[in-house]
């Protein structure tokens, strides 16, 4: 799961930052050392830190680039095999189409009233993709579902007091063209 | 005669700052308790109160925190720089009244008319709240008007800050410190020149410019939505409305931390006995921030695939870039300032240092979320409140508490209790990080935010979050109680003390 990897990276980074602040707070008690002496060294180091941070961010950006969810990127490697029309409204989902594990699924998502968030959860309860359901627009989310079973579509954009109860089951079969929802 | 006028002005400045501090302290505590009650309700599976009440509390908590967090910071920064620029006490009073009126309207909209469309009020939700409450339309109108009042209040603060800054420095370029790039080099060479700027003024000016643009767009979308509410046949484009709302909402929420940075520039040097000097890096960092904050809001719309794709990339690049000025200028500069300074960690600098840690750690969580391919799995999960509470609750609020410990003696002639401050810092730090850690983990497990109940598998984390929130709130109550005790025991003004000296 990419989210668990992100969590581990975050926790490691947070730990490093936290330790850095604790070390600084302890070293800060010593002194006082003349400020020009401290500042001179620190500001020379800052240039190195600036380029290191910029370099890390640029590297992460480039690494993550191929994994963006936008349809034209996903479709570039092959046409969607299955199409599902999705319409959200307070507080239900209407899904028309068939879904299977054999190919890509194009979810064409819109809203009949307010903004909703189409979030697809796999049978073990992990989010596999999401897109906003907006009035007046149809957003295409293209996913390759690798696991068969009962998925859940949850609303991920606050849409009123019934928001938490806006979910529906979506059965994904092993057949290429999918089965009924 | 002039001395008397200065004294009178100082008294008026002290009085309005006392009002700001006490009011915002109590409001922030109340709003934090409301947030805690949401955690409890959520952990209890949503059985404690109805969904309507839960989302009404959520709407008050979110809207109130954005408004009060920003305006409390603005009020403190106003006081800290008021001996450097001639800010208007009268305008500050009007700003306070407008902010308070706006908040009262928002609370009325929620508690009396049942508004529950969140602080984001995404169009057309206020028109179709889905709550079945008959007075929902009145509630939406009252909410939008309340928001408009608070926005106008901040608009006035921005205008007055720019007016006073321009009066001191003569031009916007000078106020923003452009002269450090000239042949004279770094700003400290012209330290005695009364027309020079300083880090707090630059931070305040950047916030004022950003605030102005956010307030104008915010006022426009509020008027458009009010019009649509009155004339339902007038429909708005949902995507355009969302862009306008997030431009305003993200900018105003984000400004809280930048206003707080301006406060830190004034407070921390007084405890390290070292100046926070103007430098080319500092000015460049704030100029970059000016552009970055204007464009970073696009990351809220990554999942709106109808948005032009180029704009999404701008959002990603700019959101990454947003990490660089704080991490290389303000936070880095703050750490350099305290390094081997022989500082005594009293409550004011302690909370300020902890705030910088919250800013850095929360910012790291935000950078992860602002990666388009990861946002696909984190957007609107509990990862989002996790990272923004890290730099709001454990960043902005700590900056404000640190500033309060610093400012209160100049307003009252009395110190707040240092031992209470240190204990509260430990409780709020321990409880606060425990709370957000539960959210980060739940977010990585795909638990949605703004849910009435915890998702299967995250129930235990939800209860641990409640316990941690209770610990953090205990610390917040201790600080507030101490603050109130000091004000109740102090005279109405503090003549012998002056506002903090120029850094």
């Amino acid at each position: 799961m990419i989210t668990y990897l992100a969590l581990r990276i975050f926790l490691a980074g947070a730990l490093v930052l936290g330790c850095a602040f604790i070390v600084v707070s302890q070293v800060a008690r010593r002194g006082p050392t003349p400020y020009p002496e401290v500042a001179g060294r620190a500001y020379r180091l800052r240039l190195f830190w600036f380029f290191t941070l910029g370099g890390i961010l640029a590297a992460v950006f480039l690494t993550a680039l191929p994994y963006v969810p936008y349809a034209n990127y996903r479709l570039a490697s092959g046409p969607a095999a299955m199409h599902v029309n999705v319409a959200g409204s307070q507080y239900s989902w209407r899904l028309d189409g068939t879904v299977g594990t054999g190919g890509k699924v194009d979810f064409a998502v819109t809203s009949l009233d307010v903004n909703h968030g189409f979030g697809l959860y796999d049978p073990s309860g992990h989010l596999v993709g999401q897109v906003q359901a907006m009035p007046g627009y149809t957003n295409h989310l293209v996913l390759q579902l690798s696991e068969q079973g009962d998925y859940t579509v949850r609303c991920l954009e606050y849409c009123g007091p019934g928001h938490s109860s806006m979910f529906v089951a979506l059965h994904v079969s092993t057949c290429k063209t999918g089965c009924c929802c | 005669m002039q001395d008397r006028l200065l004294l009178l002005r100082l008294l008026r400045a002290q009085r309005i700052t006392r009002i700001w501090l006490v009011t915002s302290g109590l409001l922030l505590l109340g709003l934090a308790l409301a947030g805690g009650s949401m955690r409890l309700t959520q952990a209890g599976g949503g059985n404690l109160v109805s969904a309507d009440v839960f989302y009404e509390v959520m709407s008050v908590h979110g809207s109130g925190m954005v408004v009060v967090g920003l305006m409390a910071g603005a009020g403190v920064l106003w006081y800290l720089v008021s001996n450097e620029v001639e800010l208007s006490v009268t305008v500050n009073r009007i700003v306070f009244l407008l902010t308070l009126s706006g908040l009262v309207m928002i609370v009325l909209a929620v508690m009396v008319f049942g508004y529950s469309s969140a602080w984001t009020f995404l169009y057309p939700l206020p028109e179709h709240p889905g709550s079945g409450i008959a007075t929902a339309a009145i509630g939406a109108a009252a909410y939008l008007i309340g928001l408009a009042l608070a926005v106008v209040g901040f608009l006035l603060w921005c205008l007055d800050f720019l007016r006073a800054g321009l009066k001191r420095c003569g031009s916007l370029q000078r106020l923003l410190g452009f002269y450090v790039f000239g042949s004279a080099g770094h700003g400290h060479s012209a330290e005695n020149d009364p027309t020079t700027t300083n880090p707090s003024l630059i931070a305040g000016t950047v916030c004022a410019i950003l605030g102005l643009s956010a307030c104008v767009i915010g006022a426009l979308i509020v008027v458009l939505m009010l019009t649509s509410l009155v004339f339902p046949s007038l429909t708005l484009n949902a995507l355009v409305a969302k862009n306008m709302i997030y431009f305003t909402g993200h900018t105003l929420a984000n400004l809280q931390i930048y206003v707080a940075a301006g406060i830190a520039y004034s407070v921390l040097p007084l405890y390290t006995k070292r100046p926070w000097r103007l430098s080319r890096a500092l000015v460049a960092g704030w100029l970059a921030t000016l552009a970055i904050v204007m464009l970073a809001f696009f990351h809220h719309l990554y999942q709106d695939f109808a948005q032009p794709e180029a704009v999404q990339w701008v959002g990603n690049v700019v959101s990454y870039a947003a990490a660089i000025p704080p991490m290389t200028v303000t936070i880095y500069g703050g750490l350099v300032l305290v390094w081997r300074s022989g500082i005594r960690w009293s409550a004011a600098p302690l909370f300020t240092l902890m705030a910088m840690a919250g800013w850095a750690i929360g910012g790291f969580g935000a950078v992860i979320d602002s990666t388009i391919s990861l946002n696909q799995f984190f957007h609107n999960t509990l990862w989002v409140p996790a990272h923004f509470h890290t730099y709001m609750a454990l960043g902005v609020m700590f900056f404000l508490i640190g500033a309060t410990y610093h400012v209160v003696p100049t307003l009252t002639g009395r110190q707040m209790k240092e031992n209470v401050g240190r204990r509260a810092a430990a409780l709020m730090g321990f409880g606060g990080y425990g709370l957000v850690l539960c959210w980060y983990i739940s977010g990585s497990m795909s638990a949605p935010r703004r849910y009435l109940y915890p998702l299967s598998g995250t129930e235990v984390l939800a209860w641990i979050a409640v316990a941690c929130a209770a610990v953090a709130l205990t610390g917040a109550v201790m600080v507030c109680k101490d603050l109130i005790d000091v004000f109740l025991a102090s005279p109405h003004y503090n003549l012998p003390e002056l506002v903090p000296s120029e850094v």
Side-chain angles (χ1 to χ4, degrees):
Chain A
M1 280 286 292
I2 188 71
T3 53
Y4 292 148
L5 175 64
L7 177 69
R8 280 196 286 271
I9 292 171
F10 170 75
L11 292 177
L15 199 64
V16 169
L17 285 167
C19 289
F21 273 86
I22 290 169
V23 168
V24 170
S25 71
Q26 295 309 306
V27 176
R29 293 173 192 268
R30 299 179 201 158
T33 303
Y35 188 48
E37 196 182 305
V38 173
R41 256 181 290 165
Y43 289 132
R44 278 193 296 278
L45 191 66
R46 175 159 68 180
L47 201 61
F48 172 75
W49 170 229
F50 173 83
F51 283 112
T52 304
L53 184 62
I56 292 170
L57 290 170
V60 172
F61 178 77
L62 292 173
T63 307
L65 209 58
Y67 304 102
V68 295
Y70 304 126
N72 53 343
Y73 277 80
R74 289 290 177 90
L75 290 172
S77 56
M82 289 157 271
H83 296 271
V84 180
N85 291 319
V86 181
S89 59
Q90 289 167 325
Y91 299 101
S92 63
W93 292 105
R94 198 185 71 210
L95 293 92
D96 298 319
T98 55
V99 186
T101 54
K104 292 189 174 183
V105 187
D106 174 12
F107 293 95
V109 182
T110 190
S111 167
L112 304 176
D113 43 37
V114 300
N115 285 277
H116 299 279
F118 172 83
L120 188 62
Y121 283 71
D122 68 16
S124 48
H126 292 116
L127 185 61
V128 292
Q130 64 171 305
V131 70
Q132 289 277 297
M134 300 176 65
Y137 289 90
T138 300
N139 290 322
H140 290 265
L141 174 69
V142 179
L143 294 171
Q144 171 95 49
L145 304 175
S146 55
E147 196 181 341
Q148 66 141 352
D150 289 324
Y151 284 62
T152 307
V153 176
R154 292 185 180 278
C155 182
L156 286 184
E157 185 63 72
Y158 177 65
C159 58
H163 169 62
S164 313
S165 56
M166 185 172 164
F167 57 86
V168 69
L170 171 67
H171 185 74
V172 176
S173 67
T174 49
C175 58
K176 168 133 179 104
T177 52
C179 305
C180 55
C181 305
Chain B
M1 181 62 185
Q2 198 170 0
D3 284 352
R4 280 180 63 86
L5 283 174
L6 279 173
L7 200 61
L8 187 64
R9 187 177 181 283
L10 177 63
L11 284 175
R12 293 173 70 212
Q14 285 191 352
R15 197 175 300 142
I16 186 66
T17 306
R18 288 167 65 111
I19 294 170
W20 268 116
L21 273 187
V22 174
T23 312
S24 43
L26 290 174
L27 283 170
L28 288 171
L29 179 64
L31 291 164
L33 288 168
S37 76
M38 283 173 61
R39 288 300 100 219
L40 186 63
T41 304
Q42 200 242 9
N47 298 320
L48 296 178
V49 294
S50 69
D52 283 342
V53 173
F54 178 80
Y55 288 111
E56 285 168 14
V57 173
M58 183 190 80
S59 300
V60 168
H61 173 73
S63 314
M65 279 296 186
V66 172
V67 171
V68 184
L70 176 62
M71 297 314 294
V76 173
L77 182 62
W78 181 95
Y79 179 65
L80 289 170
V81 301
S82 62
N83 63 331
E84 297 163 17
V85 285
E86 282 182 38
L87 292 161
S88 164
V89 178
T90 306
V91 170
N92 196 358
R93 285 176 175 170
I94 296 169
V95 171
F96 176 80
L97 288 175
L98 282 168
T99 307
L100 200 62
S101 314
L103 284 167
V104 169
M105 281 290 279
I106 288 170
V107 172
L108 282 178
V110 170
M111 296 187 74
V112 178
F113 300 112
Y115 174 84
S116 61
S117 298
W119 79 275
T120 44
F121 61 97
L122 288 184
Y123 176 83
L125 185 58
E127 283 180 41
H128 305 281
S131 61
I133 294 174
T135 54
I138 302 170
Y143 178 85
L144 291 170
I145 292 168
L147 210 58
L149 287 171
V151 161
V152 171
F154 187 55
L155 184 79
L156 288 180
W157 184 93
C158 296
L159 287 171
D160 189 50
F161 198 98
L162 287 174
R163 177 201 57 75
L166 288 171
K167 190 177 174 189
R168 170 183 162 125
C169 296
S171 70
L172 189 60
Q173 290 96 318
R174 205 162 168 74
L175 181 56
L176 286 168
F178 276 69
Y179 56 85
V180 297
F181 300 111
S183 55
H186 291 230
H188 56 266
S189 59
E191 231 169 29
N192 296 324
D193 182 348
T195 68
T196 53
T197 187
N198 66 38
S200 290
L201 289 180
I202 291 177
T205 304
V206 166
C207 291
I209 294 169
L210 287 167
L212 275 180
S213 46
C215 289
V216 169
I217 300 296
L220 185 59
I221 187 63
V222 163
V223 168
L224 285 171
M225 286 179 68
L226 275 171
T227 311
S228 173
L229 205 59
V230 177
F231 305 104
S233 57
L234 174 79
T235 55
L236 307 179
N237 181 304
L239 184 60
V240 173
K242 198 185 262 191
N243 273 279
M244 292 172 76
I245 287 168
Y246 277 122
F247 175 77
T248 306
H250 173 86
T251 305
L252 294 181
N254 210 195
L255 281 183
Q256 292 184 48
I257 198 88
Y258 292 110
V259 168
I263 293 170
Y265 289 147
S266 285
V267 171
L268 207 50
L270 300 173
Y271 294 86
T272 58
K273 297 183 176 59
R274 290 169 167 177
W276 203 319
R277 288 206 172 104
L278 213 54
S279 67
R280 287 172 178 156
L282 187 139
V283 174
W286 279 99
L287 292 176
T289 299
L290 191 56
I292 286 166
V293 175
M294 289 252 191
L295 297 170
F297 78 97
F298 287 132
H299 61 222
H300 287 275
L301 291 104
Y302 286 160
Q303 305 314 322
D304 295 281
F305 290 8
Q307 184 94 320
E309 204 170 310
V311 171
Q312 312 285 30
W313 293 114
V314 170
N316 197 155
V317 171
V318 169
S319 301
Y320 274 25
I324 294 176
M327 290 301 285
T328 58
V329 176
T330 303
I331 296 171
Y332 187 84
L335 295 180
V336 171
L337 204 70
V338 300
W339 184 265
R340 289 183 179 276
S341 63
I343 192 171
R344 186 183 146 267
W345 287 112
S346 58
L350 178 63
F351 272 110
T352 305
L353 185 81
M354 288 173 69
M356 287 189 180
W359 190 3
I361 294 169
F364 184 36
V367 163
I368 289 174
D369 189 33
S370 70
T371 308
I372 293 175
S373 47
L374 289 176
N375 187 266
Q376 173 74 182
F377 306 103
F378 283 134
H379 184 71
N380 280 344
T381 68
L382 282 172
W383 188 279
V384 180
H387 79 65
F388 75 68
H389 277 82
T390 312
Y391 57 72
M392 294 294 190
L394 305 172
V396 173
M397 292 307 140
F398 283 0
F399 273 126
L400 291 177
I401 295 171
T404 302
Y405 272 89
H406 168 68
V407 162
V408 162
T410 73
L411 295 173
T412 64
R414 286 171 186 269
Q415 297 275 350
M416 289 174 71
K417 295 188 189 81
E418 282 294 331
N419 58 342
V420 170
R422 278 195 285 269
R423 267 184 238 142
L427 288 172
M428 293 169 83
F430 179 76
Y433 278 103
L435 170 67
V436 295
L437 180 61
C438 291
W439 283 342
Y440 282 116
I441 297 171
S442 301
S444 71
M445 294 167 74
S446 307
R449 70 188 289 210
R450 292 171 171 162
Y451 249 43
L452 193 53
Y453 53 86
L455 215 58
S456 174
T458 62
E459 297 91 338
V460 175
L461 285 167
W463 279 113
I464 297 172
V466 171
C468 292
V471 172
L473 286 169
T474 305
V477 170
M478 285 165 62
V479 171
C480 268
K481 183 183 176 306
D482 194 21
L483 178 70
I484 301 301
D485 285 347
V486 169
F487 276 115
L488 288 177
S490 73
H492 295 299
Y493 48 83
N494 181 41
L495 275 178
E497 299 290 339
L498 292 173
V499 285
S501 59
E502 188 171 349
V503 176

